[in-house]
Amino acid sequence: VRGQILEGEVVSDKMQGTAVVKREYMRKIEKYERLEKRSSKYLVHNPPCLKASAGDKVKIMECRPLSKQVSFVIIEKM
């Protein structure tokens, strides 16, 4: 396995062969000893065999750069 494996939710699948996955995570602020909720969006390759659509929970994995912005691929629907 190369790189990170992350979980998130598909926000958009309107592009051809690509989807937008939003991942929410918690980050600790040392000064106030509290957590804050953050999120980030990833452009991921959406293989035709899985065909994830908006609203699906998915697992994504880092891969070689497939285009300028796409460096992740969907490996499983959950």
PDB file of all heavy atoms in Angstrom, residues 2-42:
ATOM      1  N   ARG A   2       0.568   2.163  -0.887  1.00  0.00           N
ATOM      2  CA  ARG A   2       1.368   3.374  -0.992  1.00  0.00           C
ATOM      3  C   ARG A   2       0.574   4.545  -0.436  1.00  0.00           C
ATOM      4  O   ARG A   2      -0.556   4.786  -0.854  1.00  0.00           O
ATOM      5  CB  ARG A   2       1.701   3.611  -2.466  1.00  0.00           C
ATOM      6  CG  ARG A   2       2.192   5.001  -2.787  1.00  0.00           C
ATOM      7  CD  ARG A   2       1.974   5.265  -4.279  1.00  0.00           C
ATOM      8  NE  ARG A   2       2.331   6.629  -4.601  1.00  0.00           N
ATOM      9  CZ  ARG A   2       3.270   6.947  -5.480  1.00  0.00           C
ATOM     10  NH1 ARG A   2       3.926   6.016  -6.116  1.00  0.00           N
ATOM     11  NH2 ARG A   2       3.526   8.206  -5.726  1.00  0.00           N
ATOM     12  N   GLY A   3       1.118   5.283   0.522  1.00  0.00           N
ATOM     13  CA  GLY A   3       0.496   6.509   0.992  1.00  0.00           C
ATOM     14  C   GLY A   3      -0.644   6.300   1.967  1.00  0.00           C
ATOM     15  O   GLY A   3      -0.756   5.273   2.627  1.00  0.00           O
ATOM     16  N   GLN A   4      -1.522   7.302   2.026  1.00  0.00           N
ATOM     17  CA  GLN A   4      -2.579   7.344   3.027  1.00  0.00           C
ATOM     18  C   GLN A   4      -3.838   6.617   2.560  1.00  0.00           C
ATOM     19  O   GLN A   4      -4.106   6.529   1.380  1.00  0.00           O
ATOM     20  CB  GLN A   4      -2.976   8.794   3.297  1.00  0.00           C
ATOM     21  CG  GLN A   4      -1.830   9.737   3.566  1.00  0.00           C
ATOM     22  CD  GLN A   4      -2.343  11.152   3.701  1.00  0.00           C
ATOM     23  OE1 GLN A   4      -3.154  11.429   4.576  1.00  0.00           O
ATOM     24  NE2 GLN A   4      -1.890  12.051   2.856  1.00  0.00           N
ATOM     25  N   ILE A   5      -4.601   6.147   3.545  1.00  0.00           N
ATOM     26  CA  ILE A   5      -5.940   5.631   3.304  1.00  0.00           C
ATOM     27  C   ILE A   5      -6.883   6.462   4.163  1.00  0.00           C
ATOM     28  O   ILE A   5      -6.695   6.557   5.368  1.00  0.00           O
ATOM     29  CB  ILE A   5      -6.062   4.142   3.656  1.00  0.00           C
ATOM     30  CG1 ILE A   5      -5.158   3.323   2.746  1.00  0.00           C
ATOM     31  CG2 ILE A   5      -7.504   3.679   3.540  1.00  0.00           C
ATOM     32  CD1 ILE A   5      -5.175   1.846   3.042  1.00  0.00           C
ATOM     33  N   LEU A   6      -7.879   7.107   3.531  1.00  0.00           N
ATOM     34  CA  LEU A   6      -8.774   8.031   4.219  1.00  0.00           C
ATOM     35  C   LEU A   6     -10.221   7.646   3.962  1.00  0.00           C
ATOM     36  O   LEU A   6     -10.518   6.916   3.024  1.00  0.00           O
ATOM     37  CB  LEU A   6      -8.545   9.464   3.719  1.00  0.00           C
ATOM     38  CG  LEU A   6      -7.111   9.990   3.738  1.00  0.00           C
ATOM     39  CD1 LEU A   6      -7.025  11.315   3.012  1.00  0.00           C
ATOM     40  CD2 LEU A   6      -6.631  10.154   5.169  1.00  0.00           C
ATOM     41  N   GLU A   7     -11.123   8.152   4.814  1.00  0.00           N
ATOM     42  CA  GLU A   7     -12.552   7.927   4.631  1.00  0.00           C
ATOM     43  C   GLU A   7     -13.247   9.273   4.488  1.00  0.00           C
ATOM     44  O   GLU A   7     -12.826  10.258   5.091  1.00  0.00           O
ATOM     45  CB  GLU A   7     -13.135   7.170   5.826  1.00  0.00           C
ATOM     46  CG  GLU A   7     -12.618   5.766   5.967  1.00  0.00           C
ATOM     47  CD  GLU A   7     -13.172   5.044   7.175  1.00  0.00           C
ATOM     48  OE1 GLU A   7     -14.079   5.596   7.831  1.00  0.00           O
ATOM     49  OE2 GLU A   7     -12.689   3.940   7.459  1.00  0.00           O
ATOM     50  N   GLY A   8     -14.313   9.298   3.686  1.00  0.00           N
ATOM     51  CA  GLY A   8     -15.045  10.533   3.494  1.00  0.00           C
ATOM     52  C   GLY A   8     -16.365  10.282   2.793  1.00  0.00           C
ATOM     53  O   GLY A   8     -16.775   9.140   2.595  1.00  0.00           O
ATOM     54  N   GLU A   9     -17.018  11.374   2.407  1.00  0.00           N
ATOM     55  CA  GLU A   9     -18.318  11.296   1.753  1.00  0.00           C
ATOM     56  C   GLU A   9     -18.240  11.975   0.390  1.00  0.00           C
ATOM     57  O   GLU A   9     -17.665  13.056   0.267  1.00  0.00           O
ATOM     58  CB  GLU A   9     -19.373  11.992   2.608  1.00  0.00           C
ATOM     59  CG  GLU A   9     -20.762  11.913   2.040  1.00  0.00           C
ATOM     60  CD  GLU A   9     -21.796  12.592   2.924  1.00  0.00           C
ATOM     61  OE1 GLU A   9     -21.476  12.923   4.082  1.00  0.00           O
ATOM     62  OE2 GLU A   9     -22.905  12.787   2.448  1.00  0.00           O
ATOM     63  N   VAL A  10     -18.815  11.341  -0.615  1.00  0.00           N
ATOM     64  CA  VAL A  10     -18.823  11.913  -1.958  1.00  0.00           C
ATOM     65  C   VAL A  10     -19.788  13.096  -1.972  1.00  0.00           C
ATOM     66  O   VAL A  10     -20.953  12.963  -1.605  1.00  0.00           O
ATOM     67  CB  VAL A  10     -19.239  10.861  -3.010  1.00  0.00           C
ATOM     68  CG1 VAL A  10     -19.300  11.492  -4.390  1.00  0.00           C
ATOM     69  CG2 VAL A  10     -18.278   9.686  -3.006  1.00  0.00           C
ATOM     70  N   VAL A  11     -19.278  14.258  -2.383  1.00  0.00           N
ATOM     71  CA  VAL A  11     -20.079  15.475  -2.437  1.00  0.00           C
ATOM     72  C   VAL A  11     -20.623  15.674  -3.853  1.00  0.00           C
ATOM     73  O   VAL A  11     -21.758  16.079  -4.044  1.00  0.00           O
ATOM     74  CB  VAL A  11     -19.237  16.703  -2.019  1.00  0.00           C
ATOM     75  CG1 VAL A  11     -20.038  17.975  -2.122  1.00  0.00           C
ATOM     76  CG2 VAL A  11     -18.712  16.520  -0.618  1.00  0.00           C
ATOM     77  N   SER A  12     -19.791  15.377  -4.864  1.00  0.00           N
ATOM     78  CA  SER A  12     -20.184  15.579  -6.251  1.00  0.00           C
ATOM     79  C   SER A  12     -19.572  14.491  -7.117  1.00  0.00           C
ATOM     80  O   SER A  12     -18.433  14.077  -6.895  1.00  0.00           O
ATOM     81  CB  SER A  12     -19.719  16.960  -6.723  1.00  0.00           C
ATOM     82  OG  SER A  12     -19.890  17.094  -8.115  1.00  0.00           O
ATOM     83  N   ASP A  13     -20.336  14.037  -8.117  1.00  0.00           N
ATOM     84  CA  ASP A  13     -19.819  13.052  -9.068  1.00  0.00           C
ATOM     85  C   ASP A  13     -20.136  13.479 -10.501  1.00  0.00           C
ATOM     86  O   ASP A  13     -20.288  12.656 -11.390  1.00  0.00           O
ATOM     87  CB  ASP A  13     -20.404  11.669  -8.782  1.00  0.00           C
ATOM     88  CG  ASP A  13     -21.911  11.636  -8.940  1.00  0.00           C
ATOM     89  OD1 ASP A  13     -22.533  12.693  -8.766  1.00  0.00           O
ATOM     90  OD2 ASP A  13     -22.453  10.572  -9.250  1.00  0.00           O
ATOM     91  N   LYS A  14     -20.194  14.791 -10.737  1.00  0.00           N
ATOM     92  CA  LYS A  14     -20.607  15.320 -12.041  1.00  0.00           C
ATOM     93  C   LYS A  14     -19.496  15.267 -13.092  1.00  0.00           C
ATOM     94  O   LYS A  14     -19.780  15.322 -14.276  1.00  0.00           O
ATOM     95  CB  LYS A  14     -21.108  16.749 -11.889  1.00  0.00           C
ATOM     96  CG  LYS A  14     -22.379  16.847 -11.072  1.00  0.00           C
ATOM     97  CD  LYS A  14     -22.845  18.270 -10.925  1.00  0.00           C
ATOM     98  CE  LYS A  14     -24.099  18.317 -10.076  1.00  0.00           C
ATOM     99  NZ  LYS A  14     -24.557  19.704  -9.865  1.00  0.00           N
ATOM    100  N   MET A  15     -18.236  15.174 -12.661  1.00  0.00           N
ATOM    101  CA  MET A  15     -17.145  15.110 -13.621  1.00  0.00           C
ATOM    102  C   MET A  15     -17.042  13.697 -14.191  1.00  0.00           C
ATOM    103  O   MET A  15     -17.486  12.736 -13.570  1.00  0.00           O
ATOM    104  CB  MET A  15     -15.821  15.505 -12.961  1.00  0.00           C
ATOM    105  CG  MET A  15     -15.727  16.964 -12.617  1.00  0.00           C
ATOM    106  SD  MET A  15     -14.231  17.357 -11.730  1.00  0.00           S
ATOM    107  CE  MET A  15     -14.704  16.915 -10.077  1.00  0.00           C
ATOM    108  N   GLN A  16     -16.434  13.589 -15.352  1.00  0.00           N
ATOM    109  CA  GLN A  16     -16.299  12.291 -16.005  1.00  0.00           C
ATOM    110  C   GLN A  16     -15.121  11.530 -15.393  1.00  0.00           C
ATOM    111  O   GLN A  16     -13.969  11.910 -15.562  1.00  0.00           O
ATOM    112  CB  GLN A  16     -16.061  12.506 -17.497  1.00  0.00           C
ATOM    113  CG  GLN A  16     -16.040  11.249 -18.305  1.00  0.00           C
ATOM    114  CD  GLN A  16     -15.890  11.556 -19.788  1.00  0.00           C
ATOM    115  OE1 GLN A  16     -16.281  12.609 -20.246  1.00  0.00           O
ATOM    116  NE2 GLN A  16     -15.302  10.627 -20.502  1.00  0.00           N
ATOM    117  N   GLY A  17     -15.429  10.462 -14.647  1.00  0.00           N
ATOM    118  CA  GLY A  17     -14.380   9.635 -14.052  1.00  0.00           C
ATOM    119  C   GLY A  17     -13.756  10.206 -12.794  1.00  0.00           C
ATOM    120  O   GLY A  17     -12.783   9.662 -12.281  1.00  0.00           O
ATOM    121  N   THR A  18     -14.289  11.302 -12.279  1.00  0.00           N
ATOM    122  CA  THR A  18     -13.731  11.949 -11.084  1.00  0.00           C
ATOM    123  C   THR A  18     -14.859  12.326 -10.136  1.00  0.00           C
ATOM    124  O   THR A  18     -15.960  12.634 -10.569  1.00  0.00           O
ATOM    125  CB  THR A  18     -12.947  13.220 -11.481  1.00  0.00           C
ATOM    126  OG1 THR A  18     -11.983  12.883 -12.472  1.00  0.00           O
ATOM    127  CG2 THR A  18     -12.235  13.824 -10.291  1.00  0.00           C
ATOM    128  N   ALA A  19     -14.572  12.277  -8.843  1.00  0.00           N
ATOM    129  CA  ALA A  19     -15.544  12.670  -7.825  1.00  0.00           C
ATOM    130  C   ALA A  19     -14.865  13.599  -6.822  1.00  0.00           C
ATOM    131  O   ALA A  19     -13.641  13.627  -6.712  1.00  0.00           O
ATOM    132  CB  ALA A  19     -16.099  11.448  -7.114  1.00  0.00           C
ATOM    133  N   VAL A  20     -15.676  14.343  -6.080  1.00  0.00           N
ATOM    134  CA  VAL A  20     -15.175  15.208  -5.008  1.00  0.00           C
ATOM    135  C   VAL A  20     -15.564  14.557  -3.688  1.00  0.00           C
ATOM    136  O   VAL A  20     -16.736  14.281  -3.447  1.00  0.00           O
ATOM    137  CB  VAL A  20     -15.778  16.625  -5.090  1.00  0.00           C
ATOM    138  CG1 VAL A  20     -15.229  17.491  -3.970  1.00  0.00           C
ATOM    139  CG2 VAL A  20     -15.491  17.250  -6.432  1.00  0.00           C
ATOM    140  N   VAL A  21     -14.561  14.278  -2.843  1.00  0.00           N
ATOM    141  CA  VAL A  21     -14.800  13.639  -1.550  1.00  0.00           C
ATOM    142  C   VAL A  21     -14.449  14.620  -0.446  1.00  0.00           C
ATOM    143  O   VAL A  21     -13.359  15.196  -0.431  1.00  0.00           O
ATOM    144  CB  VAL A  21     -13.958  12.347  -1.404  1.00  0.00           C
ATOM    145  CG1 VAL A  21     -14.086  11.773  -0.014  1.00  0.00           C
ATOM    146  CG2 VAL A  21     -14.377  11.326  -2.437  1.00  0.00           C
ATOM    147  N   LYS A  22     -15.389  14.811   0.503  1.00  0.00           N
ATOM    148  CA  LYS A  22     -15.170  15.699   1.640  1.00  0.00           C
ATOM    149  C   LYS A  22     -14.863  14.852   2.864  1.00  0.00           C
ATOM    150  O   LYS A  22     -15.566  13.892   3.150  1.00  0.00           O
ATOM    151  CB  LYS A  22     -16.416  16.540   1.893  1.00  0.00           C
ATOM    152  CG  LYS A  22     -16.254  17.570   2.974  1.00  0.00           C
ATOM    153  CD  LYS A  22     -17.488  18.433   3.101  1.00  0.00           C
ATOM    154  CE  LYS A  22     -17.299  19.517   4.133  1.00  0.00           C
ATOM    155  NZ  LYS A  22     -18.498  20.350   4.269  1.00  0.00           N
ATOM    156  N   ARG A  23     -13.782  15.230   3.565  1.00  0.00           N
ATOM    157  CA  ARG A  23     -13.359  14.510   4.760  1.00  0.00           C
ATOM    158  C   ARG A  23     -13.386  15.464   5.938  1.00  0.00           C
ATOM    159  O   ARG A  23     -12.807  16.550   5.872  1.00  0.00           O
ATOM    160  CB  ARG A  23     -11.946  13.987   4.545  1.00  0.00           C
ATOM    161  CG  ARG A  23     -11.400  13.191   5.699  1.00  0.00           C
ATOM    162  CD  ARG A  23     -10.029  12.638   5.371  1.00  0.00           C
ATOM    163  NE  ARG A  23      -8.982  13.585   5.689  1.00  0.00           N
ATOM    164  CZ  ARG A  23      -8.258  13.557   6.809  1.00  0.00           C
ATOM    165  NH1 ARG A  23      -8.481  12.637   7.708  1.00  0.00           N
ATOM    166  NH2 ARG A  23      -7.321  14.438   7.019  1.00  0.00           N
ATOM    167  N   GLU A  24     -14.077  15.085   7.013  1.00  0.00           N
ATOM    168  CA  GLU A  24     -14.121  15.898   8.220  1.00  0.00           C
ATOM    169  C   GLU A  24     -13.259  15.240   9.291  1.00  0.00           C
ATOM    170  O   GLU A  24     -13.275  14.019   9.442  1.00  0.00           O
ATOM    171  CB  GLU A  24     -15.559  16.064   8.703  1.00  0.00           C
ATOM    172  CG  GLU A  24     -16.401  16.886   7.761  1.00  0.00           C
ATOM    173  CD  GLU A  24     -17.780  17.179   8.303  1.00  0.00           C
ATOM    174  OE1 GLU A  24     -18.200  16.532   9.283  1.00  0.00           O
ATOM    175  OE2 GLU A  24     -18.438  18.060   7.735  1.00  0.00           O
ATOM    176  N   TYR A  25     -12.505  16.062  10.007  1.00  0.00           N
ATOM    177  CA  TYR A  25     -11.620  15.545  11.047  1.00  0.00           C
ATOM    178  C   TYR A  25     -11.517  16.564  12.172  1.00  0.00           C
ATOM    179  O   TYR A  25     -11.906  17.719  12.015  1.00  0.00           O
ATOM    180  CB  TYR A  25     -10.231  15.220  10.474  1.00  0.00           C
ATOM    181  CG  TYR A  25      -9.549  16.375   9.772  1.00  0.00           C
ATOM    182  CD1 TYR A  25      -8.631  17.166  10.457  1.00  0.00           C
ATOM    183  CD2 TYR A  25      -9.819  16.691   8.449  1.00  0.00           C
ATOM    184  CE1 TYR A  25      -8.008  18.238   9.838  1.00  0.00           C
ATOM    185  CE2 TYR A  25      -9.210  17.750   7.815  1.00  0.00           C
ATOM    186  CZ  TYR A  25      -8.297  18.513   8.510  1.00  0.00           C
ATOM    187  OH  TYR A  25      -7.683  19.583   7.898  1.00  0.00           O
ATOM    188  N   MET A  26     -11.009  16.122  13.323  1.00  0.00           N
ATOM    189  CA  MET A  26     -10.853  16.985  14.486  1.00  0.00           C
ATOM    190  C   MET A  26      -9.373  17.357  14.646  1.00  0.00           C
ATOM    191  O   MET A  26      -8.498  16.511  14.451  1.00  0.00           O
ATOM    192  CB  MET A  26     -11.345  16.275  15.743  1.00  0.00           C
ATOM    193  CG  MET A  26     -12.790  15.826  15.668  1.00  0.00           C
ATOM    194  SD  MET A  26     -13.946  17.168  15.490  1.00  0.00           S
ATOM    195  CE  MET A  26     -14.149  17.655  17.172  1.00  0.00           C
ATOM    196  N   ARG A  27      -9.126  18.611  15.015  1.00  0.00           N
ATOM    197  CA  ARG A  27      -7.762  19.083  15.223  1.00  0.00           C
ATOM    198  C   ARG A  27      -7.689  19.707  16.604  1.00  0.00           C
ATOM    199  O   ARG A  27      -8.559  20.496  16.976  1.00  0.00           O
ATOM    200  CB  ARG A  27      -7.416  20.112  14.156  1.00  0.00           C
ATOM    201  CG  ARG A  27      -6.026  20.696  14.297  1.00  0.00           C
ATOM    202  CD  ARG A  27      -5.726  21.633  13.128  1.00  0.00           C
ATOM    203  NE  ARG A  27      -4.499  22.356  13.373  1.00  0.00           N
ATOM    204  CZ  ARG A  27      -4.419  23.541  13.972  1.00  0.00           C
ATOM    205  NH1 ARG A  27      -5.506  24.137  14.395  1.00  0.00           N
ATOM    206  NH2 ARG A  27      -3.252  24.130  14.152  1.00  0.00           N
ATOM    207  N   LYS A  28      -6.650  19.368  17.354  1.00  0.00           N
ATOM    208  CA  LYS A  28      -6.508  19.870  18.718  1.00  0.00           C
ATOM    209  C   LYS A  28      -5.823  21.237  18.718  1.00  0.00           C
ATOM    210  O   LYS A  28      -4.822  21.441  18.036  1.00  0.00           O
ATOM    211  CB  LYS A  28      -5.695  18.894  19.554  1.00  0.00           C
ATOM    212  CG  LYS A  28      -5.649  19.260  21.010  1.00  0.00           C
ATOM    213  CD  LYS A  28      -4.983  18.216  21.859  1.00  0.00           C
ATOM    214  CE  LYS A  28      -5.044  18.623  23.313  1.00  0.00           C
ATOM    215  NZ  LYS A  28      -4.356  17.684  24.176  1.00  0.00           N
ATOM    216  N   ILE A  29      -6.368  22.166  19.509  1.00  0.00           N
ATOM    217  CA  ILE A  29      -5.753  23.480  19.712  1.00  0.00           C
ATOM    218  C   ILE A  29      -5.101  23.445  21.085  1.00  0.00           C
ATOM    219  O   ILE A  29      -5.790  23.381  22.106  1.00  0.00           O
ATOM    220  CB  ILE A  29      -6.799  24.610  19.637  1.00  0.00           C
ATOM    221  CG1 ILE A  29      -7.515  24.552  18.310  1.00  0.00           C
ATOM    222  CG2 ILE A  29      -6.144  25.962  19.838  1.00  0.00           C
ATOM    223  CD1 ILE A  29      -8.677  25.495  18.195  1.00  0.00           C
ATOM    224  N   GLU A  30      -3.777  23.448  21.113  1.00  0.00           N
ATOM    225  CA  GLU A  30      -3.025  23.287  22.357  1.00  0.00           C
ATOM    226  C   GLU A  30      -3.325  24.410  23.360  1.00  0.00           C
ATOM    227  O   GLU A  30      -3.502  24.163  24.540  1.00  0.00           O
ATOM    228  CB  GLU A  30      -1.522  23.241  22.074  1.00  0.00           C
ATOM    229  CG  GLU A  30      -1.068  22.031  21.275  1.00  0.00           C
ATOM    230  CD  GLU A  30      -1.234  20.719  22.028  1.00  0.00           C
ATOM    231  OE1 GLU A  30      -1.195  20.723  23.274  1.00  0.00           O
ATOM    232  OE2 GLU A  30      -1.412  19.692  21.356  1.00  0.00           O
ATOM    233  N   LYS A  31      -3.387  25.643  22.879  1.00  0.00           N
ATOM    234  CA  LYS A  31      -3.556  26.792  23.765  1.00  0.00           C
ATOM    235  C   LYS A  31      -4.837  26.691  24.587  1.00  0.00           C
ATOM    236  O   LYS A  31      -4.840  26.969  25.784  1.00  0.00           O
ATOM    237  CB  LYS A  31      -3.563  28.084  22.945  1.00  0.00           C
ATOM    238  CG  LYS A  31      -3.734  29.334  23.779  1.00  0.00           C
ATOM    239  CD  LYS A  31      -3.656  30.579  22.916  1.00  0.00           C
ATOM    240  CE  LYS A  31      -3.887  31.825  23.737  1.00  0.00           C
ATOM    241  NZ  LYS A  31      -3.841  33.051  22.911  1.00  0.00           N
ATOM    242  N   TYR A  32      -5.936  26.296  23.957  1.00  0.00           N
ATOM    243  CA  TYR A  32      -7.221  26.250  24.642  1.00  0.00           C
ATOM    244  C   TYR A  32      -7.619  24.843  25.083  1.00  0.00           C
ATOM    245  O   TYR A  32      -8.677  24.663  25.683  1.00  0.00           O
ATOM    246  CB  TYR A  32      -8.312  26.832  23.731  1.00  0.00           C
ATOM    247  CG  TYR A  32      -8.031  28.254  23.330  1.00  0.00           C
ATOM    248  CD1 TYR A  32      -7.722  28.572  22.023  1.00  0.00           C
ATOM    249  CD2 TYR A  32      -8.061  29.277  24.275  1.00  0.00           C
ATOM    250  CE1 TYR A  32      -7.448  29.881  21.649  1.00  0.00           C
ATOM    251  CE2 TYR A  32      -7.786  30.585  23.915  1.00  0.00           C
ATOM    252  CZ  TYR A  32      -7.480  30.878  22.606  1.00  0.00           C
ATOM    253  OH  TYR A  32      -7.211  32.168  22.242  1.00  0.00           O
ATOM    254  N   GLU A  33      -6.785  23.857  24.773  1.00  0.00           N
ATOM    255  CA  GLU A  33      -7.024  22.455  25.141  1.00  0.00           C
ATOM    256  C   GLU A  33      -8.402  21.978  24.684  1.00  0.00           C
ATOM    257  O   GLU A  33      -9.163  21.382  25.437  1.00  0.00           O
ATOM    258  CB  GLU A  33      -6.863  22.262  26.652  1.00  0.00           C
ATOM    259  CG  GLU A  33      -5.452  22.544  27.135  1.00  0.00           C
ATOM    260  CD  GLU A  33      -5.321  22.391  28.630  1.00  0.00           C
ATOM    261  OE1 GLU A  33      -6.295  21.992  29.290  1.00  0.00           O
ATOM    262  OE2 GLU A  33      -4.216  22.653  29.138  1.00  0.00           O
ATOM    263  N   ARG A  34      -8.723  22.293  23.439  1.00  0.00           N
ATOM    264  CA  ARG A  34     -10.001  21.891  22.856  1.00  0.00           C
ATOM    265  C   ARG A  34      -9.793  21.380  21.436  1.00  0.00           C
ATOM    266  O   ARG A  34      -8.724  21.526  20.874  1.00  0.00           O
ATOM    267  CB  ARG A  34     -10.973  23.071  22.843  1.00  0.00           C
ATOM    268  CG  ARG A  34     -11.492  23.352  24.255  1.00  0.00           C
ATOM    269  CD  ARG A  34     -12.483  24.455  24.286  1.00  0.00           C
ATOM    270  NE  ARG A  34     -13.098  24.737  25.549  1.00  0.00           N
ATOM    271  CZ  ARG A  34     -12.553  24.804  26.738  1.00  0.00           C
ATOM    272  NH1 ARG A  34     -11.273  24.521  26.911  1.00  0.00           N
ATOM    273  NH2 ARG A  34     -13.228  25.129  27.807  1.00  0.00           N
ATOM    274  N   LEU A  35     -10.855  20.795  20.890  1.00  0.00           N
ATOM    275  CA  LEU A  35     -10.808  20.302  19.526  1.00  0.00           C
ATOM    276  C   LEU A  35     -11.669  21.186  18.637  1.00  0.00           C
ATOM    277  O   LEU A  35     -12.693  21.709  19.070  1.00  0.00           O
ATOM    278  CB  LEU A  35     -11.345  18.868  19.462  1.00  0.00           C
ATOM    279  CG  LEU A  35     -10.548  17.816  20.224  1.00  0.00           C
ATOM    280  CD1 LEU A  35     -11.293  16.503  20.211  1.00  0.00           C
ATOM    281  CD2 LEU A  35      -9.172  17.649  19.635  1.00  0.00           C
ATOM    282  N   GLU A  36     -11.229  21.337  17.380  1.00  0.00           N
ATOM    283  CA  GLU A  36     -12.044  22.042  16.397  1.00  0.00           C
ATOM    284  C   GLU A  36     -12.304  21.116  15.221  1.00  0.00           C
ATOM    285  O   GLU A  36     -11.485  20.273  14.888  1.00  0.00           O
ATOM    286  CB  GLU A  36     -11.371  23.328  15.923  1.00  0.00           C
ATOM    287  CG  GLU A  36     -10.169  23.131  15.043  1.00  0.00           C
ATOM    288  CD  GLU A  36      -9.594  24.437  14.515  1.00  0.00           C
ATOM    289  OE1 GLU A  36     -10.243  25.487  14.665  1.00  0.00           O
ATOM    290  OE2 GLU A  36      -8.499  24.389  13.948  1.00  0.00           O
ATOM    291  N   LYS A  37     -13.470  21.274  14.626  1.00  0.00           N
ATOM    292  CA  LYS A  37     -13.830  20.449  13.483  1.00  0.00           C
ATOM    293  C   LYS A  37     -13.331  21.122  12.208  1.00  0.00           C
ATOM    294  O   LYS A  37     -13.551  22.311  11.999  1.00  0.00           O
ATOM    295  CB  LYS A  37     -15.348  20.284  13.407  1.00  0.00           C
ATOM    296  CG  LYS A  37     -15.781  19.273  12.360  1.00  0.00           C
ATOM    297  CD  LYS A  37     -17.275  19.228  12.218  1.00  0.00           C
ATOM    298  CE  LYS A  37     -17.901  18.476  13.363  1.00  0.00           C
ATOM    299  NZ  LYS A  37     -19.359  18.243  13.135  1.00  0.00           N
ATOM    300  N   ARG A  38     -12.626  20.365  11.376  1.00  0.00           N
ATOM    301  CA  ARG A  38     -12.119  20.874  10.110  1.00  0.00           C
ATOM    302  C   ARG A  38     -12.553  19.936   8.996  1.00  0.00           C
ATOM    303  O   ARG A  38     -12.903  18.784   9.246  1.00  0.00           O
ATOM    304  CB  ARG A  38     -10.591  20.950  10.125  1.00  0.00           C
ATOM    305  CG  ARG A  38     -10.062  22.056  10.984  1.00  0.00           C
ATOM    306  CD  ARG A  38      -8.623  22.311  10.672  1.00  0.00           C
ATOM    307  NE  ARG A  38      -8.241  23.605  11.249  1.00  0.00           N
ATOM    308  CZ  ARG A  38      -7.141  24.247  10.930  1.00  0.00           C
ATOM    309  NH1 ARG A  38      -6.308  23.746  10.058  1.00  0.00           N
ATOM    310  NH2 ARG A  38      -6.870  25.399  11.477  1.00  0.00           N
ATOM    311  N   SER A  39     -12.484  20.419   7.771  1.00  0.00           N
ATOM    312  CA  SER A  39     -12.819  19.564   6.642  1.00  0.00           C
ATOM    313  C   SER A  39     -11.928  19.912   5.466  1.00  0.00           C
ATOM    314  O   SER A  39     -11.397  21.026   5.373  1.00  0.00           O
ATOM    315  CB  SER A  39     -14.285  19.722   6.250  1.00  0.00           C
ATOM    316  OG  SER A  39     -14.520  21.012   5.777  1.00  0.00           O
ATOM    317  N   SER A  40     -11.740  18.945   4.574  1.00  0.00           N
ATOM    318  CA  SER A  40     -10.979  19.185   3.359  1.00  0.00           C
ATOM    319  C   SER A  40     -11.610  18.374   2.240  1.00  0.00           C
ATOM    320  O   SER A  40     -12.243  17.346   2.473  1.00  0.00           O
ATOM    321  CB  SER A  40      -9.511  18.812   3.546  1.00  0.00           C
ATOM    322  OG  SER A  40      -9.413  17.494   4.002  1.00  0.00           O
ATOM    323  N   LYS A  41     -11.460  18.874   1.019  1.00  0.00           N
ATOM    324  CA  LYS A  41     -12.024  18.208  -0.142  1.00  0.00           C
ATOM    325  C   LYS A  41     -10.899  17.651  -1.010  1.00  0.00           C
ATOM    326  O   LYS A  41      -9.863  18.294  -1.163  1.00  0.00           O
ATOM    327  CB  LYS A  41     -12.876  19.173  -0.961  1.00  0.00           C
ATOM    328  CG  LYS A  41     -14.163  19.572  -0.292  1.00  0.00           C
ATOM    329  CD  LYS A  41     -14.976  20.479  -1.196  1.00  0.00           C
ATOM    330  CE  LYS A  41     -16.262  20.887  -0.527  1.00  0.00           C
ATOM    331  NZ  LYS A  41     -17.048  21.810  -1.363  1.00  0.00           N
ATOM    332  N   TYR A  42     -11.117  16.466  -1.560  1.00  0.00           N
ATOM    333  CA  TYR A  42     -10.152  15.814  -2.430  1.00  0.00           C
ATOM    334  C   TYR A  42     -10.818  15.503  -3.758  1.00  0.00           C
ATOM    335  O   TYR A  42     -11.969  15.051  -3.783  1.00  0.00           O
ATOM    336  CB  TYR A  42      -9.670  14.493  -1.819  1.00  0.00           C
ATOM    337  CG  TYR A  42      -8.925  14.627  -0.520  1.00  0.00           C
ATOM    338  CD1 TYR A  42      -9.600  14.631   0.701  1.00  0.00           C
ATOM    339  CD2 TYR A  42      -7.538  14.744  -0.492  1.00  0.00           C
ATOM    340  CE1 TYR A  42      -8.916  14.749   1.897  1.00  0.00           C
ATOM    341  CE2 TYR A  42      -6.855  14.865   0.702  1.00  0.00           C
ATOM    342  CZ  TYR A  42      -7.551  14.865   1.892  1.00  0.00           C
ATOM    343  OH  TYR A  42      -6.868  14.979   3.074  1.00  0.00           O
TER     344      TYR A  42
END
